[in-house]
Amino acid sequence: MRLKGKLYEDITLEKAVKLGYVIGRSAGPRNLVVSGRDAFRVSRMLKRAITAGVMSAGADVMDFHESLNGEIAFAIKRFGAKMGFMVSIDPSTGGVLLKIFSSPGYELAGESLKRIIREAEEEKREARSEIGWVYYAEYVHRLYTSAISSFVKGDIITSRKISSVVAPDYEPLESILTELARGLGVSQIIIGDINPPIHPFSTLMKKIWSVRRALQSDIGVLFSHDGSALTLCLEGLGFLLPEELLLYVIQKYGPGSRVLVLNPVFKKTIEYLEKEGYKITIVDDEEKFHFVNRRERPVISMTWRGEYITPLFSLGFDAIILYAQVLEALSDIGLKPLDTVKSIREELHRETLSLNNGLEICREADETTLWGCRILRDNKLITLIYNPEADGFIKLEGDKF
């Protein structure tokens, strides 16, 4: 469950102020709340409304202006904030998506999020003589990027001289990826997009595939506009599913490493990882996912949507730190493990769909992803992923774990 809906209908300015008040009250007077938004005007407006509510409860706000999901989680941990929130376009519907975070940087979901929403609906503000303050901290981008660079083996990545094609160019994603590539010695091309970030990103995926092939770049990478999710594009495979990318990145940690996965995902991939000695925990509930992630601190946590957490870095969804680890794996172990990805995918039932047919199915799905959609039917997992070579979709079907 996430807090999202249509502006002025499901999410009004009045509700945003009340929600901010509950967030500020939960943080406590003079305690810190971290705030961020994407680059769209509606997000700017709602963030200011929520900020006003937080301040009215006496809490202080550290405002990052345009920011990424991972930066909010990182900053809560880095600055000792009690709460945080992120306002963005909902890429599944085109509406508004509000994410609320708690210390030490995890996203609220399930009952903990419902409690915040209930309190906002029932909220009766107490008169306070003290009003919170706002601190502007745009320097967080550089601090965040430096922390990512120091988390991976930068010297190994630099010596490999990797080339990549990435998208989209929404701010601050473009600035952060540019600075990260410069620091790690990666030759990187960023592709722009004038369209709103609505799933699936088939047009951008086609561009990434075409440019990567033309330039013979090592990899292509598509990010969600808030930097919480990504998918990888490779020669001979196209774009990878979340569990396929997990299979690749986890190789750098080695057998015995603990991994957390939010279902539904394909059973065959998880069974392969378990056979190789990785300790996989599968959960079906998003609130439990965040609870287990905080308690067990696996090396990587992943959702079926393609969002990733690296708990040793922060407890929020962060595709930028995952990208850095992809670069490290590419430098360290090459692409050989992806032969396994190809063989596992070939075991699934496969069907080719036209672009329009695939988009229609995705629009009818309960929730889409940046690369397509997933549908559960009679305990079978049906996955649609965009295929740039045919400018259509691949429909994969198999047992879910």
Side-chain angles (χ1 to χ4, degrees):
M1 174 194 172
R2 279 177 166 165
L3 180 52
K4 56 185 180 180
K6 293 182 179 179
L7 181 66
Y8 302 132
E9 294 181 22
D10 306 305
I11 299 176
T12 65
L13 293 177
E14 292 77 13
K15 288 180 180 178
V17 173
K18 290 180 178 180
L19 183 67
Y21 177 78
V22 174
I23 292 172
R25 188 176 63 189
S26 299
R30 308 311 307 170
N31 284 322
L32 193 61
V33 175
V34 172
S35 74
R37 60 169 173 83
D38 64 18
F40 295 90
R41 285 179 294 177
V42 61
S43 304
R44 182 192 298 264
M45 178 180 68
L46 284 173
K47 190 199 73 171
R48 290 181 175 179
I50 297 172
T51 297
V54 172
M55 294 172 65
S56 72
D60 295 334
V61 177
M62 179 174 280
D63 187 356
F64 296 154
H65 297 301
E66 295 173 355
S67 54
L68 300 180
N69 195 84
E71 288 183 297
I72 302 299
F74 168 78
I76 290 174
K77 176 182 176 181
R78 175 68 176 77
F79 297 109
K82 297 297 184 183
M83 300 284 289
F85 65 90
M86 174 79 179
V87 187
S88 66
I89 296 292
D90 176 17
S92 290
T93 65
V96 179
L97 174 62
L98 305 180
K99 296 180 182 179
I100 302 173
F101 300 80
S102 185
S103 177
Y106 66 95
E107 183 183 339
L108 296 183
E111 286 302 319
S112 56
L113 178 59
K114 289 178 182 178
R115 178 181 57 79
I116 293 285
I117 295 172
R118 280 196 305 269
E119 289 182 10
E121 291 172 346
E122 301 166 357
E123 171 266 337
K124 293 181 180 178
R125 259 175 275 184
E126 302 170 4
R128 294 195 62 86
S129 59
E130 188 174 19
I131 297 175
W133 195 256
V134 177
Y135 306 90
Y136 296 103
E138 292 174 310
Y139 61 83
V140 73
H141 302 318
R142 182 156 293 181
L143 185 66
Y144 169 71
T145 307
S146 297
I148 290 176
S149 297
S150 63
F151 186 82
V152 294
K153 302 171 185 174
D155 55 335
I156 294 177
I157 297 172
T158 301
S159 65
R160 174 63 171 73
K161 301 187 185 304
I162 297 169
S163 57
S164 68
V165 177
V166 302
D169 64 342
Y170 300 120
E171 285 293 353
L173 186 62
E174 180 180 8
S175 299
I176 289 170
L177 289 175
T178 299
E179 186 171 340
L180 183 64
R182 186 184 301 119
L184 296 177
V186 175
S187 175
Q188 183 174 266
I189 300 291
I190 299 182
I191 297 175
D193 187 26
I194 61 173
N195 299 310
I198 306 300
H199 291 160
F201 293 169
S202 53
T203 303
L204 266 181
M205 294 170 83
K206 179 70 173 181
K207 288 182 181 178
I208 290 172
W209 180 82
S210 300
V211 174
R212 190 208 62 78
R213 174 165 281 191
L215 298 178
Q216 296 186 324
S217 301
D218 293 308
I219 57 174
V221 187
L222 173 65
F223 291 90
S224 60
H225 76 294
D226 67 352
S228 63
L230 85 163
T231 180
L232 198 66
C233 178
L234 297 165
E235 187 66 33
L237 271 171
F239 287 89
L240 301 186
L241 295 173
E243 57 266 43
E244 293 173 339
L245 180 52
L246 173 67
L247 186 152
Y248 175 60
V249 175
I250 198 63
Q251 304 287 325
K252 84 183 199 70
Y253 289 102
S257 302
R258 288 180 296 157
V259 179
L260 175 63
V261 175
L262 178 64
N263 242 343
V265 292
F266 282 120
K267 184 178 181 179
K268 287 184 179 294
T269 309
I270 302 303
E271 286 181 336
Y272 171 82
L273 289 172
E274 289 181 329
K275 184 179 177 181
E276 290 295 303
Y278 294 95
K279 299 176 181 178
I280 314 294
T281 300
I282 304 286
V283 297
D284 297 303
D285 174 79
E286 194 136 1
E287 186 173 27
K288 185 177 180 181
F289 172 84
H290 287 291
F291 174 77
V292 174
N293 183 61
R294 298 197 314 273
R295 185 186 63 189
E296 298 188 0
R297 305 292 171 101
V299 294
I300 294 179
S301 300
M302 180 208 83
T303 74
W304 62 269
R305 295 181 293 262
E307 300 155 318
Y308 299 86
I309 300 176
T310 305
L312 292 174
F313 184 76
S314 76
L315 295 178
F317 293 126
D318 190 341
I320 312 302
I321 186 67
L322 199 281
Y323 173 54
Q325 292 175 87
V326 168
L327 297 173
E328 184 179 19
L330 185 59
S331 306
D332 223 358
I333 61 179
L335 293 172
K336 187 66 177 174
L338 290 166
D339 292 341
T340 303
V341 170
K342 186 180 293 186
S343 63
I344 292 175
R345 186 183 283 196
E346 288 173 351
E347 294 180 29
L348 300 171
H349 175 74
R350 180 184 178 120
E351 184 180 340
T352 301
L353 302 177
S354 69
L355 179 63
N356 288 335
N357 193 7
L359 290 173
E360 185 177 346
I361 293 173
C362 287
R363 280 193 290 265
E364 293 175 355
D366 290 336
E367 191 167 358
T368 55
T369 69
L370 71 167
W371 40 263
C373 65
R374 282 189 150 155
I375 302 167
L376 276 175
R377 187 175 297 161
D378 298 329
N379 211 37
K380 289 287 185 180
L381 178 58
I382 298 171
T383 296
L384 270 65
I385 184 166
Y386 177 72
N387 176 19
E389 194 157 12
D391 194 23
F393 281 82
I394 299 171
K395 179 181 177 182
L396 300 171
E397 185 174 342
D399 294 330
K400 87 173 187 72
F401 192 87

